[in-house]
Every structure is written in structure tokens, then in C-alpha cells.
Amino acid sequence: MTDLIAELDAWLDDNWDPDLTVAAWWERLGLAGWAAPSLPTNAYGKGVARNEANAISQRLAERGALPAPAGLGMLLAAPTIAVHGTPEQIERYVKPIVTGAQAWCQLFSEPGAGSDLAGLGSRAVQDGEEWVVNGQKVWTSSGHIADMGMLIARTNPESPKHQGITWFAFDMHQPGHVDVRPLREMTGRALFNEVFLTDAHVPDDAVIGGLNNGWAVANTTLAFERSGLGAGAGGATSLANAGTIAGDLPKRAGDFVRAARSPGGGGGGAMVAGSQRLFTEMAKQNGMIHDPTVRQSMMQLYTLGELGRYLTLRIKAEKQAGREIPGAGNLAKLSMSEIVRQSRDLGLRIAGPAGTLHSYTSEGRRALDAATGNPVLGFITEAALFAQAPPIYGGTDQVQRNIIGERVLGLPKEPSNERTTPWSDLPKNG
Ligand SMILES: Cc1cc2nc3c(=O)[nH]c(=O)nc-3n(C[C@H](O)[C@H](O)[C@H](O)COP(=O)(O)OP(=O)(O)OC[C@H]3O[C@@H](n4cnc5c(N)ncnc54)[C@H](O)[C@@H]3O)c2cc1C
């Protein structure tokens, strides 16, 4: 690890320049393998373990350099394509992800297919060397700033439902055929969207991992999602947005550095990293630090965070020994759900009555912080409102438990004929 950080330091001495544009800096970082170091070496990475990748991104932040692009391209699309894509597809899709040139979204969930994802009904029909796609996706995080989408669509309705699905690298720039509409959350933000696909096109060579093999490819994506969102995940992320739509690429990289994210974005990983410090400061200021029950809750939270960290180290040690801990990603995600719930409850408790105040705009949150004298109130209330999300996205807590029960503990599955009946003959949700 020390060698890796020394190598990064030397590289930064030669390459970091705050006057570069975001695009130019991310291109250097990505092509050198420092943007997504946990990717394999044949896919613009360095093949390092996740805790090493976290240490690299922390070091970038400590050195005052703009961290690597964030988002679902980095978290999900790039590692999935690195596993299932051809060398040509890795070049075409992974390269613009690690250099931040393109942003991605995940077009998985549908109004009638969330936990039962394999029941999805969006259809892709072959037309020469292309596929024509019709259907609706929902809860599409960052769909409004995405250049590309990880699309799973039904390509053979006559197969059982897990077998007739294909994973496509899908171009979101199709005016009139791809309609992205924002959905507002109770935090006040609109981070996700519904996406309507009407005679949209995707070429044959954008099929990742083989025709009708999309369920296996999607499970790779979901595994990266669980472990990336789980306790123990981390690393500094950039406030500059990847992709052509957000508009940050031509801006000066150095201008985003001071904004390198402190805990405040509402995301689970950020909460683990920073909530302990914030809660302690806040409790010291208002005297609640002397309340033994508050101290006990703080210790519980600290313990959960440490368990998450140890789980990550254990996963790494097993990986190095050529083994895998079955269900580790599911456990990490369940642990994260518990951490955000406990953080929500503890944060609101320490905030006291002011915790009932929330503004839906950044300006309003700043005004409330000033009026209450609590500089982190906006973070606390936003994180509390957002805490409902991590136990849902990436597969709900109940679904994680089902997976552990059925695939890890070998408990009997729910009786069903869905593995043998054509999807077209199954009853549909929604
Ligand atoms: C903030 C946020 C961001 C998201 N971003 C994306 C995104 O970018 N792309 C994307 O494709 N999706 C995204 N999602 C969607 C997410 O993956 C789904 O919400 C999730 O899979 C649950 O599906 P559902 O909402 O349809 O709930 P349902 O599947 O309808 O579930 C409703 C309830 O029933 C329970 N349940 C369902 N089936 C079972 C079962 N077999 N056993 C026990 N309990 C069960 C569930 O646990 C849940 O409590 C996002 C969701 C959130 C909240």
C-alpha cells in the first residue's frame, strides 16, 4: 500500500495542475489508471483491492487534487463491462467512463419490476443490426445527466423470465425516443427520474455479455452495487459531475477542489465517514454529550462502522487467498442500512426540536443553520430524510435477506413455476 501511495504521490507531482479543465485532468487521471484503480489492468485500472482504491482516492483529496469522476458509470457500468465486455467494448465504453467524458445511469427498475427485477417488461426487438426498444423505467438515478444507460430489456418473451433478458449499453441521446422526467424526493431534490423509451434504438454490438444472457450480467452489476453501497465502501468523491450534460467538463479543475465532498450529500458512504465526527461536535456544543444514552448510541454506531471496516478487510484477505465469503456483499449492504437508520435517529435526537425543521433548497438550509445556530442542521435533516433510501435501492433489505437465505444458507426457495414457464405466460405485476 505504501508503495502504491508513493507511486501516486510521484505521479501527482508531475501531473496535477489545478488550471487544467476538469476534462483534461480526468483524462490524465483515467488513462494513468488512478481514476478507477480497482478495475483490472486491461480495463484502465490497476487491479487493486477496494480498500487500496479507497486509500488512493483519499490521497488524491489530501493532496488537493480533484478526485476521480463519481457516479454509476464508475460504480457499476465500468466494472460490469470489464467482466463481460469484449476488448473493443471495454475501449468504447470503459475509457470514457474513467476519464469522466460520459456519465451513465442504470435502466433496471420498472413500475412492475423492482424486487422482482427479472419480471421486467421493456421489450427490445431486433431490426437488422439494431434493436428497437419500447418500455418504461423508473427510479433512474442521474438519468437527467446521463449520456449512456445500462439497459436491461426483454429480448425473448417466450423463454422463462430469467433467460430472455439482454444487457445493453444504451445511448441516452435520442430526442423524441428517450424521455427523462424528474421525480422529486422528500429531501427536496430530484436525483432520480422516470424514463420512457419509445422506438429507441440500440446497435447489436452494444449487447454486453451475450444475447439473452442479461440476467447473469445484471447480477454482476447488482453485486458491484451491493458491495459499492455497503458498509466499508468509501473514498473521496468529486463534486464535479462526469458527462457531457452536467456541464462541468470545460470548467477549471481547481475550482472544484475546495468543494471536494465533505459528509453532506446524504449518501450512505459519506454518512459513515463523517457522521461520527459531526454528531460528537454537535453533542459537545449542546451538552448532550453528557447524556449516557446518547453516548451509548454513539458507541453502537461506531461499532457498526468498525464492523463494516473489518468485513471489508476480511473480504480482501479472503480474496487474496483465492476465496470468497458467500453473501458478504449482501451483509455489507444490510449493515449500511442499519448504519443509516441509526445515524438518522441519533442525529435527530442530538439536534433536538430543531431537527423538525428542513428546507428544500440549499439557500433555505443555510438560513435555517444560521437561525438555529447549528451549522450542520441541514446535513442532519437531509440525511435523516434520505435514510429511507439505502434500505431500498440496490435491492431492499428483505431481498438481501432472501438472497442470503436461499443462496448462502440453502433454505428452500418460495414455490414457483417461473423457472420453467415462458415469461409471456406468467402473471404480471403492476
Ligand atoms: C434513492 C433510490 C435510487 C434508485 N436508483 C435506481 C436506479 O438508478 N436505477 C434503477 O434501475 N433502480 C433504482 N432504484 C430502484 C430500486 O432498485 C427499487 O426501488 C428496489 O429494487 C425495490 O423495488 P420497488 O421499489 O419496485 O419495490 P417492490 O419490489 O414493489 O417492493 C415493495 C416492498 O415489498 C418487499 N418485497 C418485495 N418482494 C419481496 C420478497 N420476495 N420477499 C420479501 N419482501 C419482498 C420489498 O422489500 C419492499 O419492502 C432506486 C431506488 C431508490 C429508493
Side-chain angles (χ1 to χ4, degrees), residues 121-423:
S122 286
R123 287 277 281 123
V125 177
Q126 196 155 24
D127 178 15
E129 294 187 352
E130 285 198 326
W131 293 81
V132 181
V133 188
N134 282 283
Q136 187 199 335
K137 298 291 174 175
V138 73
W139 318 127
T140 313
S141 302
S142 305
H144 54 299
I145 52 165
D147 299 289
M148 298 290 296
M150 296 162 255
L151 170 70
I152 49 175
R154 190 156 299 282
T155 38
N156 184 355
E158 304 315 319
S159 289
K161 68 179 185 181
H162 296 87
Q163 292 170 28
I165 295 171
T166 299
W167 199 111
F168 294 97
F170 179 80
D171 185 354
M172 295 289 286
H173 297 275
Q174 301 192 48
H177 301 285
V178 178
D179 182 13
V180 181
R181 299 183 199 165
L183 293 167
R184 195 155 296 281
E185 302 137 34
M186 63 178 161
T187 55
R189 295 184 196 264
L191 298 176
F192 53 31
N193 306 269
E194 46 188 354
V195 177
F196 296 84
L197 307 168
T198 312
D199 292 334
H201 287 254
V202 58
D204 211 18
D205 63 6
V207 170
I208 306 290
L211 186 60
N212 295 323
N213 191 37
W215 187 242
V217 186
N219 270 293
T220 301
T221 313
L222 295 174
F224 283 118
E225 186 167 24
R226 270 174 226 131
S227 55
L229 298 174
T237 50
S238 167
L239 273 194
N241 284 300
T244 62
I245 301 173
D248 290 340
L249 294 180
K251 295 180 183 163
R252 183 178 172 272
D255 291 345
F256 289 92
V257 169
R258 279 169 60 81
R261 185 181 286 181
S262 61
M271 283 184 79
V272 178
S275 58
Q276 202 70 32
R277 184 174 48 78
L278 289 182
F279 291 166
T280 309
E281 278 168 21
M282 191 166 63
K284 275 183 184 164
Q285 273 166 20
N286 69 7
M288 287 196 83
I289 196 76
H290 302 297
D291 180 330
T293 61
V294 167
R295 296 170 79 92
Q296 188 178 20
S297 298
M298 284 176 135
M299 279 313 295
Q300 276 173 351
L301 199 52
Y302 173 78
T303 308
L304 274 175
E306 284 298 283
L307 287 173
R309 196 167 65 80
Y310 283 125
L311 180 62
T312 310
L313 291 173
R314 215 180 129 210
I315 292 170
K316 184 192 163 205
E318 291 290 306
K319 205 172 165 189
Q320 275 170 351
R323 294 187 297 258
E324 209 177 290
I325 307 172
N330 309 88
L331 288 170
K333 181 153 192 290
L334 281 170
S335 167
M336 175 55 84
S337 294
E338 190 53 32
I339 285 170
V340 292
R341 271 193 292 268
Q342 291 202 12
S343 299
R344 172 196 62 198
D345 296 348
L346 180 61
L348 288 179
R349 202 166 149 214
I350 299 174
T356 57
L357 303 170
H358 181 70
S359 171
Y360 296 103
T361 63
S362 309
E363 201 177 57
R365 279 192 291 275
R366 276 196 295 276
L368 277 179
D369 288 355
T372 59
N374 180 346
V376 293
L377 182 70
F379 164 69
I380 300 288
T381 57
E382 182 165 1
L385 290 171
F386 192 79
Q388 285 41 258
I392 298 175
Y393 59 56
T396 66
D397 283 5
Q398 291 77 13
V399 166
Q400 305 303 330
R401 291 197 181 94
N402 280 353
I403 294 172
I404 293 171
E406 292 174 5
R407 294 190 209 161
V408 181
L409 302 177
L411 298 175
K413 290 180 193 264
E414 286 176 39
S416 145
N417 60 353
E418 64 180 33
R419 299 254 161 204
T420 48
T421 309
W423 174 83

